[in-house]
């Protein structure tokens, strides 16, 4: 296959005999590398290489201006904005949110040589109409808004003047100035021959420049288009070149050169639907592997074109090792590196810091970053892990610098740098970043991590660049603005890959493929919203105004994408068009209209194969989880039995044997987390501990109104005390925690009121609180000791009858502690509260005879129901004949069920089987 550039060079060499005194102008720099290779291939003797420009370089050469960076443009535009007579001007941070859009509009106005005065006049008139209403006078806000649009012309001229003073310009300004200086350039270069290669969509400035040079007679232009699209009067691929042919005087007298006829020749096109983005890269990897195996790893004239450049990283991880040579033209974005995440989190620490300290989630996120680990950890201590553990253990929702430093017992100066107070100024913050960079450099050098060092060096350069900017521009005076600047600079930087720009597999973006031809082309993300990009309108200029002044709209941009798409397909023999079958907002829309257009083209559709590729997924039926009891597990059960089964652990088994296995035997619990708001278990603990403190002085005494009323005065202080035990500082009592605090106060006060009413009706004597108990269970079937242990919340005596009370902070209903069939105790978790009460009764009555006791639950969420007594009734729905007395016969029946449950747990032949909860 002869490529387009080879055809052009062959034609020029045949006509001119040499390339001396020739200036080549191409759409991109990358095409220049291929052009040089073509020149070397076609000439037999050594020659001086001709001048090769990209169109941007060529226009810059004519204008004598260099293009300002986006950051320079934004700063100069802000200075121009500050010079305007407008009141209440935006800060740089607010300005930057709309300044970028204004920059793009100014750029387009100049690139298309628009009469800016007329356009801005129309624009301000439109805005005034949009904000018209009946009131005679506009509000101040509306008036300020309209005034801003009226001053756009002044802002535009002031901005351009500032740039020109420094011999720089935005791209549009460079193009406008090039047009003004074009005659001087043509005169100076009249002995040079200009050759323009492979252009399509041209702005007014480019079109004027090229036409003027062509009119000198010492120039030529070659178009990279297939005659198939040129002849089709409605095909978007030929839209611009057909338009040039109609409107350019030069083309009225000269035929179009470079037009080929290769699109409808034999080619194989495969249209492949793949679910989601990562699957696309995996599928491309499998395609490349098959190609590499067929060619012994040497892929020539093969390109992977990423329409969505964010897929570069997953693609790099999918390239098979069989491929020998790869060249990546795109550069790896610096904002995709892990250092970007690290420094961004460092910014967030201070940007989101509140007057009462750092929010714990921001600190934990920063401490969890691998580079924070590298900074704070050494051979002796892992400081980041210690800090995470201390913050979690003490439930610290907000932390000051003093609190953070006090969590560790050693002096570690870097910790003070990372968490400084007060919030540093932008200059101080950048100095901190440079200090951190220097420490990371040393640590990475010790680890021989050359890739990370290369990334870090780029960030070091950015921080030094920012330091210079801060000295020059005083308006960046807060960290939020500084973070915006940092993100802007990082987004423009890439890490360049090393490779042969000619040989091997080529990985590139769509625009980098201009003028280049490959036999095998793989295009990814051929979806609406990506190819073509769709109706994104990042502009202040309305659609109708753009059409009237000849500015490009989304229709022209769609035609540009269509041209690039079909141009890639023109000379290719094997084409793979891969699209995402699962469209969404972030990953593009449905399959691209360009695929549909191909499938409906009578001249090409017979060469197309269409299919959907899906990963090979083996769907296995969901299996019941069974844990067989091997010797090691039986030893764990034996050890647990010896330490003692608790009522809650046995209830856990009833609920789900697998939970008992994980939590009670293997001790696998949820990872500790900071309780930002009071968790249910902490809520219950505070109630229990407060009641224990209140009632301990009353052990052995009868309750009366006087004692209980006096007790109410101690409630608030004790609740605060127990809150402080669970939370490091009482100032956490904000928001939901304050609500929880008041709910606990209300619960305990209501309970004391209930106790006062009960003490007036009954003689209640406190016998014990939080009493730990443990008994041995004698089961002959088990040849090792089994214990039952637990803690009784309260034991009292009411009118001479013993009573066991269990406090529950959650809601418990009467039907959960009333049973009608003994087997349900160990089979239905609903009756776990009744099961626990009977366990407590069994432990308390150990060794006693001829007893009759009661047991019940105080549910603080159902306090109006009073004490919920355990009871045995005749049937499930029975409302009468309930027996609340717990006698030896009652516990005998219970012991049979308890024995059956314990034997099941200890039986080596009965596995732990998961229950659906």
């Amino acid at each position: 296959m002869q490529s387009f550039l080879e055809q052009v060079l062959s034609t020029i060499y045949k006509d001119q005999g040499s390339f001396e005194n020739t200036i080549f102008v191409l759409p991109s720099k990358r095409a220049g590398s291929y052009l040089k290779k073509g020149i070397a291939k076609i000439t037999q003797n050594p020659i001086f290489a001709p001048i090769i420009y990209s169109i941007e370089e060529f226009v810059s050469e004519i204008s004598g201006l260099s293009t300002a960076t986006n950051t320079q443009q934004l700063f100069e535009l802000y200075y121009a904005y500050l010079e305007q007579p407008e009141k209440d001007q935006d800060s740089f941070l607010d300005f930057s949110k709309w300044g970028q859009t204004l920059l793009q509009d100014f750029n387009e106005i100049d690139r298309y040589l628009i009469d800016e005065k007329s356009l801005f006049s129309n624009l301000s008139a439109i805005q005034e109409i949009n904000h018209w209403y009946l009131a005679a006078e506009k509000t101040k806000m509306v008036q300020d808004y309209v005034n801003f649009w009226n001053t756009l012309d002044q802002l535009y001229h002031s901005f351009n003047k500032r740039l020109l003073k420094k011999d720089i310009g935005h791209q549009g300004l460079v193009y406008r100035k090039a047009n003004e200086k074009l005659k001087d350039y043509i005169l100076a270069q009249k002995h040079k021959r200009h050759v323009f290669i492979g252009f399509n969509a041209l702005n007014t400035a480019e079109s004027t420049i090229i036409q003027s040079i062509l009119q000198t007679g010492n120039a030529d232009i070659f178009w990279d288009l297939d005659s198939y699209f040129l002849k089709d009067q409605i095909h978007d691929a030929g839209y611009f070149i057909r338009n040039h042919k109609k409107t350019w005087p030069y083309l009225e007298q000269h035929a179009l050169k470079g037009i080929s006829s290769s699109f409808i020749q034999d080619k194989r096109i495969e249209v492949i639907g793949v679910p989601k983005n990562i699957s696309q890269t995996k599928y491309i990897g499998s395609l490349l592997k098959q190609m590499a195996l067929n060619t012994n790893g040497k892929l020539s004239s093969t390109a992977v074109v990423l329409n969505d450049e964010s897929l570069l990283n997953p693609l790099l991880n999918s390239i098979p090792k069989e491929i020998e040579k790869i060249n990546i033209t795109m550069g790896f974005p610096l904002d995709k590196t892990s250092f970007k995440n690290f420094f961004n989190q460092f910014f967030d620490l201070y940007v989101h810091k509140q007057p009462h300290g750092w929010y714990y989630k921001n600190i934990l996120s920063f401490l969890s970053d691998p580079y924070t680990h590298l900074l704070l950890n050494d051979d002796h201590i892992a400081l980041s892990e210690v800090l995470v553990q201390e913050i979690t253990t003490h439930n610290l929702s907000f932390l000051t610098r003093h609190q953070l430093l006090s969590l560790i017992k050693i002096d570690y100066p870097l910790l003070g740098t990372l968490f400084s107070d007060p919030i540093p100024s932008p200059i101080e913050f950048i100095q901190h970043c440079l200090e951190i960079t220097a420490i990371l450099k040393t640590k990475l050098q010790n680890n021989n991590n050359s890739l990370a060092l290369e990334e870090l060096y780029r960030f070091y350069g950015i921080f030094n660049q920012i330091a210079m900017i801060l000295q020059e521009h005083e308006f960046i005076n807060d960290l939020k603005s500084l973070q915006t600047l940092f993100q802007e600079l990082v987004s423009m930087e890439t890490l360049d890959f090393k490779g042969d720009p000619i040989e091997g597999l080529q990985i590139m973006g769509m625009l980098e493929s201009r003028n280049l031809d490959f036999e095998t082309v793989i295009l990814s993300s051929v979806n609406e919203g990506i190819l073509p990009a769709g109706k994104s309108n990042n502009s202040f200029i309305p659609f109708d105004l753009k059409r009237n002044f000849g500015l490009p709209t989304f229709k022209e941009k769609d035609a540009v994408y269509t041209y690039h798409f079909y141009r890639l397909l023109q000379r290719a023999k094997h084409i793979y068009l891969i699209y995402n079958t699962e469209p969404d907002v972030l990953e593009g829309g449905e399959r691209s209209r360009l695929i549909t257009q191909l499938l409906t083209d009578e001249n090409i559709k017979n060469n197309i194969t269409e299919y959907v590729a899906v990963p090979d997924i083996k769907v296995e039926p969901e299996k019941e989880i069974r844990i067989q009891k091997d010797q090691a597990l039986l030893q764990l059960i034996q050890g647990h039995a010896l330490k003692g089964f608790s009522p809650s652990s046995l209830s856990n088994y009833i609920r789900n044997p697998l939970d008992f296995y994980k939590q009670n035997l293997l001790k696998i619990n949820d990872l500790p987390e900071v309780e930002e708001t009071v968790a249910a278990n902490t809520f219950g603990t505070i109630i229990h501990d407060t009641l224990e403190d209140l009632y301990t002085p009353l052990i052995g005494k009868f309750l009366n109104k006087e004692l209980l009323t006096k007790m109410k005065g101690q409630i608030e202080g004790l609740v605060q005390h127990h809150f402080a035990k669970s939370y490091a500082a009482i100032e956490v009592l904000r928001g939901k925690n304050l609500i929880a605090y008041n709910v606990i106060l209300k619960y305990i006060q209501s309970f004391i009121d209930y106790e006062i009413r009960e003490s007036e009706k009954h003689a209640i004597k406190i016998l014990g609180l939080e009493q730990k108990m443990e008994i041995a269970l004698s089961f002959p079937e088990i040849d090792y000791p089994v214990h039952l242990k637990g803690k009784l919340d309260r034991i009292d005596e009411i009118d001479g009858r013993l009573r066991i009370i269990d406090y529950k902070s959650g809601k418990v209903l009467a039907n959960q502690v009333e049973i009608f069939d003994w087997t349900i105790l160990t089979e239905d978790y609903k009756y776990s509260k009744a099961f626990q009460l009977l366990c407590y009764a069994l432990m308390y009555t150990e060794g006693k005879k001829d007893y009759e006791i009661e047991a019940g639950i105080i549910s603080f969420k159902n306090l109006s129901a009073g004490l919920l007594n355990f009871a045995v009734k005749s049937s499930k729905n029975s409302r009468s004949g309930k027996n609340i007395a717990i006698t030896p016969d009652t516990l005998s029946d219970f012991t049979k069920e308890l024995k059956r449950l314990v034997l099941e747990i200890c039986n080596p032949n009965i596995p732990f089987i998961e229950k659906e909860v």
Side-chain angles (χ1 to χ4, degrees):
M1 176 193 77
Q2 189 178 30
S3 70
F4 167 67
L5 292 177
E6 289 172 342
Q7 290 174 9
V8 169
L9 289 172
S10 179
T11 302
I12 294 170
Y13 195 72
K14 186 177 178 182
D15 292 344
Q16 304 295 325
S18 77
F19 299 109
E20 292 180 15
N21 293 320
T22 302
I23 296 175
F24 289 99
V25 184
L26 299 104
S28 67
K29 285 183 182 181
R30 178 157 177 73
S33 301
Y34 281 78
L35 190 72
K36 284 179 184 176
K37 184 193 175 186
I39 292 171
K41 188 176 177 182
I42 206 168
T43 55
Q44 302 297 319
N45 300 314
I47 63 166
F48 287 106
I51 299 171
I52 301 173
Y53 289 121
S54 68
I55 185 65
E56 287 86 2
E57 292 170 336
F58 180 61
V59 173
S60 182
E61 177 70 19
I62 297 172
S63 69
L65 299 174
S66 57
T67 304
T69 65
N70 191 65
T71 308
Q72 284 177 305
Q73 292 177 42
L74 193 63
F75 286 157
E76 293 301 332
L77 182 61
Y78 187 59
Y79 278 121
Y81 168 70
L82 293 177
E83 291 170 359
Q84 303 307 304
E86 188 180 339
K87 296 179 181 177
D88 302 324
Q89 290 176 317
D90 287 350
S91 67
F92 177 73
L93 179 63
D94 293 331
F95 166 82
S96 64
K97 295 171 185 175
W98 55 266
Q100 293 285 5
T101 305
L102 198 59
L103 276 177
Q104 291 178 34
D105 285 340
F106 285 176
N107 184 34
E108 285 218 322
I109 288 167
D110 280 343
R111 289 198 312 140
Y112 283 83
L113 307 179
I114 302 298
D115 177 3
E116 73 281 355
K117 191 168 185 178
S118 175
L119 185 140
F120 289 134
S121 174
N122 278 272
L123 185 57
S124 62
I126 288 170
Q127 295 299 334
E128 194 151 0
I129 290 170
N130 287 341
H131 291 83
W132 175 89
Y133 53 93
L134 289 171
E137 290 189 10
K138 297 181 174 65
T139 64
K140 182 179 182 301
M141 185 176 72
V142 171
Q143 188 61 55
D144 289 345
Y145 181 78
V146 172
N147 287 342
F148 169 76
W149 294 104
N150 289 333
T151 60
L152 267 189
D153 187 41
Q154 291 174 252
L155 179 59
Y156 164 84
H157 286 291
S158 177
F159 171 53
N160 281 354
K161 281 179 185 176
R162 292 188 65 87
L163 293 174
L164 291 173
K165 278 182 185 178
K166 298 182 178 181
D167 289 328
I168 56 175
H170 54 83
Q171 191 190 56
L173 182 59
V174 172
Y175 276 54
R176 192 184 279 273
K177 288 300 169 185
N179 269 264
E180 294 173 6
K181 296 180 179 181
L182 184 57
K183 288 181 181 178
D184 294 337
Y185 173 81
I186 291 173
L187 190 62
Q189 300 290 344
K190 61 183 178 182
H191 300 299
K192 297 275 188 179
R193 180 173 183 78
H194 291 76
V195 178
F196 299 93
I197 301 175
F199 287 94
N200 175 49
L202 297 167
N203 58 53
T204 309
E206 289 170 339
S207 178
T208 305
I209 290 168
I210 292 173
Q211 287 189 71
S212 298
I213 294 174
L214 287 173
Q215 293 292 357
T216 64
N218 193 21
D220 219 336
I221 186 165
F222 292 85
W223 308 94
D224 189 3
L225 186 70
D226 197 279
S227 59
Y228 185 75
F229 308 123
L230 189 64
K231 292 173 185 175
D232 188 337
Q233 294 302 308
I234 60 171
H235 204 296
D236 274 355
Y239 171 79
F240 290 104
I241 295 176
R242 287 196 304 271
N243 197 40
H244 298 329
K245 188 179 179 184
K246 290 176 188 175
T247 58
W248 284 20
Y250 174 83
L251 293 179
E252 291 176 6
Q253 302 169 7
H254 299 81
L256 293 172
K257 291 185 178 181
I259 305 301
S260 61
S261 300
S262 53
F263 179 68
I264 56 174
Q265 292 177 359
D266 282 346
K267 57 181 81 233
R268 191 181 79 224
I269 303 174
E270 295 185 33
V271 177
I272 307 138
V274 181
K276 308 304 282 184
N277 277 345
I278 301 301
S279 296
Q280 288 188 68
T281 62
K282 296 298 179 188
Y283 184 75
I284 291 171
S286 66
L287 274 179
L288 293 173
K289 183 174 183 178
Q290 190 58 50
M291 292 177 193
L293 291 173
N294 293 338
T295 59
N296 294 322
K298 296 178 181 178
L299 292 185
S300 59
S301 195
T302 302
V304 175
V305 180
L306 297 178
N307 293 308
D308 179 359
E309 296 189 4
S310 68
L311 296 187
L312 177 60
N313 197 28
L315 177 63
L316 293 179
N317 287 292
S318 304
I319 292 174
K321 61 183 179 182
E322 287 83 0
I323 297 177
E324 289 183 2
K325 291 184 178 180
I326 302 170
N327 182 54
I328 303 162
T329 67
M330 300 156 66
F332 188 76
L334 204 60
D335 63 358
K336 300 291 183 188
T337 62
S338 49
F339 278 113
K340 161 68 185 313
N341 184 54
F342 168 73
F343 285 114
N344 218 33
Q345 288 191 100
F346 188 44
F347 269 104
D348 286 341
L349 273 181
Y350 292 95
V351 169
H352 301 300
K353 187 182 179 185
Q354 299 188 26
H356 42 278
W358 287 284
Y359 185 43
Y360 81 96
K361 284 189 177 178
N362 290 337
I363 289 182
L364 293 185
S365 178
F366 182 64
L367 291 174
S368 301
D369 190 279
Y371 290 117
T372 311
H373 278 270
L374 188 62
L375 282 168
L376 295 181
N377 299 356
D378 55 34
D379 297 335
H380 307 293
I381 188 168
L383 270 185
S384 57
E385 293 176 17
V386 171
L387 287 169
V388 169
Q389 187 177 351
E390 290 292 318
I391 292 168
T392 307
T393 304
H394 292 95
N395 278 325
L396 299 168
S397 297
F398 286 90
L399 295 96
T400 63
R401 182 176 189 267
H402 175 72
Q403 282 176 304
L404 260 171
L405 297 179
S406 67
L407 292 177
I408 58 170
K409 310 301 180 188
I410 60 172
D411 182 33
Y412 204 85
L414 180 59
L415 198 62
T417 302
L418 292 175
F419 299 97
S420 59
D421 195 41
I423 294 175
S425 67
I427 292 175
E428 290 169 340
F429 187 85
I430 292 301
Q431 289 305 316
H432 289 335
C433 290
L434 288 169
E435 288 174 36
I436 291 167
T437 305
I439 296 168
L440 283 172
K441 174 190 171 187
T442 304
K443 289 182 176 278
L444 291 171
Q445 284 174 334
N446 294 337
N447 296 341
N448 293 320
N449 192 337
S450 55
L451 177 59
L453 278 168
E454 178 65 28
E455 294 174 5
L456 184 64
Y457 176 72
R458 295 300 185 92
F459 281 93
Y460 175 74
I462 286 172
F463 290 131
N464 277 303
Q465 185 181 348
I466 292 174
M468 293 173 66
I469 289 171
L470 291 176
Q471 291 175 357
E472 188 178 346
H473 307 289
E474 294 180 356
F475 52 74
I476 303 174
N477 50 19
D478 65 279
L479 291 186
K480 187 66 179 172
S481 300
L482 185 67
Q483 187 177 25
T484 303
L485 173 61
F486 168 74
Q487 291 171 339
E488 170 73 21
L489 292 174
V490 171
S491 68
M492 296 188 295
E493 287 284 330
T494 58
L495 289 168
D496 296 328
F497 294 94
K498 289 185 178 179
D500 190 328
I502 308 296
E503 296 296 326
L505 173 67
Q506 303 292 314
I507 299 175
M508 61 183 68
M510 178 63 89
L511 292 179
E512 292 160 318
S513 70
R514 289 175 292 181
N515 292 172
L516 308 184
D517 295 300
F518 303 94
E519 290 189 4
T520 303
V521 176
I522 302 171
L523 273 88
S524 71
S525 304
V526 188
N527 288 77
E528 288 293 318
I530 298 175
L531 186 69
K535 298 182 181 181
S536 56
N537 186 29
N538 193 19
S539 172
F540 289 128
I541 305 171
F543 177 83
D544 290 334
L545 203 57
K546 284 192 170 190
R547 296 286 289 177
N548 187 56
F549 278 86
L551 289 169
T553 64
F554 67 87
K555 291 185 176 182
E556 284 74 28
K557 289 173 184 175
D558 282 358
V560 171
Y561 279 103
T562 305
Y563 169 79
H564 290 316
F565 174 77
Y566 278 100
R567 200 215 62 75
L568 258 179
L569 271 55
Q570 278 177 196
R571 298 173 185 83
K573 294 179 180 177
H574 308 295
I575 301 150
Y576 300 89
L577 305 178
I578 302 171
Y579 65 93
N580 182 0
T581 59
E582 310 296 318
D584 62 32
V585 174
L586 297 176
E587 298 178 359
E590 62 187 359
R591 184 174 72 176
S592 173
R593 71 192 79 165
L594 300 176
I595 292 177
T596 306
Q597 193 174 23
L598 274 176
L599 291 168
T600 55
D601 191 325
E602 294 292 334
N603 296 308
I604 202 75
K605 70 178 186 180
N606 292 331
N607 296 336
I608 301 174
T609 306
E610 190 180 3
Y611 56 91
V612 174
V614 293
D616 185 15
I617 301 172
K618 295 180 181 178
V619 180
E620 294 185 6
E622 191 173 338
K623 293 180 181 178
E624 183 180 59
I625 299 178
R626 289 171 170 257
I627 306 295
Q628 300 296 335
K629 295 172 183 171
D630 58 14
Q631 195 58 40
L633 183 50
L634 288 170
Q635 285 179 356
L636 279 177
I637 294 170
Q638 184 176 339
H640 190 74
L642 183 61
K643 289 180 181 177
F645 290 105
S646 67
S648 59
S649 70
L650 292 172
S651 297
N652 208 18
Y653 181 85
I654 294 167
R655 179 177 177 272
N656 184 0
L658 212 62
D659 287 345
F660 172 81
Y661 165 69
K662 291 177 180 177
Q663 295 170 10
N664 300 104
L665 296 181
L666 298 183
K667 308 296 182 186
I668 299 173
N669 296 309
D670 294 335
L671 287 172
E673 293 182 353
V674 172
E675 285 182 23
E676 194 175 349
T677 56
V678 180
N681 59 339
T682 308
F683 189 94
T685 301
I686 293 171
I687 291 176
H688 275 71
D689 292 349
T690 303
L691 288 174
E692 183 183 2
D693 287 352
L694 288 170
Y695 278 87
T696 297
L698 303 183
I699 293 175
K701 296 180 182 180
F702 284 94
L703 300 182
N704 59 57
K705 185 175 181 180
E706 184 183 348
L707 284 173
L708 292 168
T709 304
K710 185 179 178 183
M711 187 189 291
K712 290 176 76 172
Q714 305 170 41
I715 294 173
E716 189 165 352
L718 287 170
V719 171
Q720 285 186 3
H721 169 70
H722 290 297
F723 245 100
K725 282 201 304 186
S726 298
Y727 295 89
I730 202 66
E731 61 261 22
V732 296
L733 294 182
R734 293 183 300 272
K736 291 182 180 179
N737 282 339
L738 183 59
I739 294 171
Y741 169 77
N742 283 292
V743 168
I744 290 172
L745 286 179
K746 181 67 176 174
Y747 276 175
I748 297 174
Q749 288 165 353
S750 298
F751 176 64
I752 300 301
D753 290 338
Y754 165 77
E755 290 275 81
I756 290 172
R757 293 193 297 273
E758 287 294 296
S759 68
E760 291 174 342
K761 299 176 190 175
H762 307 283
I764 302 172
K765 182 180 180 182
I766 304 297
L767 300 179
L769 297 169
E770 301 295 330
Q771 190 169 328
K772 291 182 180 179
M773 307 203 73
E774 184 171 343
I775 63 171
L777 299 174
S778 179
F779 298 144
E781 294 87 347
I782 302 175
D783 58 359
Y784 47 83
V786 177
H787 292 86
L788 182 66
K789 66 177 183 180
K791 185 191 284 188
L792 282 65
D793 289 342
R794 171 169 154 177
I795 304 151
D796 65 16
E797 194 178 82
I798 180 167
D799 297 333
R801 297 189 311 276
L802 279 171
R803 186 173 65 172
I804 295 170
I805 295 177
D806 192 25
Y807 299 132
K808 297 291 183 187
S809 56
K811 187 169 185 177
V812 181
L813 301 174
N815 63 8
Q816 292 175 282
V817 292
E818 298 172 354
I819 65 167
F820 54 91
D821 178 0
W822 285 102
T823 59
I824 62 173
L825 279 173
T826 55
E827 293 175 0
D828 191 344
Y829 182 70
K830 175 185 174 182
Y831 299 97
S832 61
K833 307 296 185 296
F835 177 86
Q836 291 176 20
L837 286 174
L838 289 170
C839 284
Y840 296 138
L842 183 66
M843 288 187 281
Y844 186 75
T845 58
E846 174 72 6
K848 297 181 176 67
K849 294 181 180 179
D850 300 328
Y851 52 81
E852 184 175 308
I853 67 171
E854 296 174 12
I857 285 176
I858 290 291
S859 170
F860 286 93
K861 276 193 177 178
N862 190 18
L863 201 55
S864 59
L867 182 71
L868 304 172
N869 278 301
F870 166 80
V872 178
K873 55 187 182 180
S874 57
S875 65
K876 183 176 183 179
N877 299 318
S878 174
R879 296 195 176 189
S880 60
K882 297 177 184 177
N883 182 11
I884 64 171
I886 298 175
T887 64
D889 288 340
T890 310
L891 292 180
S892 176
D893 290 336
F894 170 67
T895 303
K896 291 175 186 175
E897 292 304 313
L898 178 63
K899 178 181 178 179
R900 186 166 66 82
L901 181 67
V902 173
L903 289 178
E904 182 181 309
I905 293 172
C906 298
N907 190 333
N909 299 317
I910 301 177
F912 291 130
I913 302 173
E914 183 178 29
K915 279 185 187 177
E916 283 190 21
V917 179

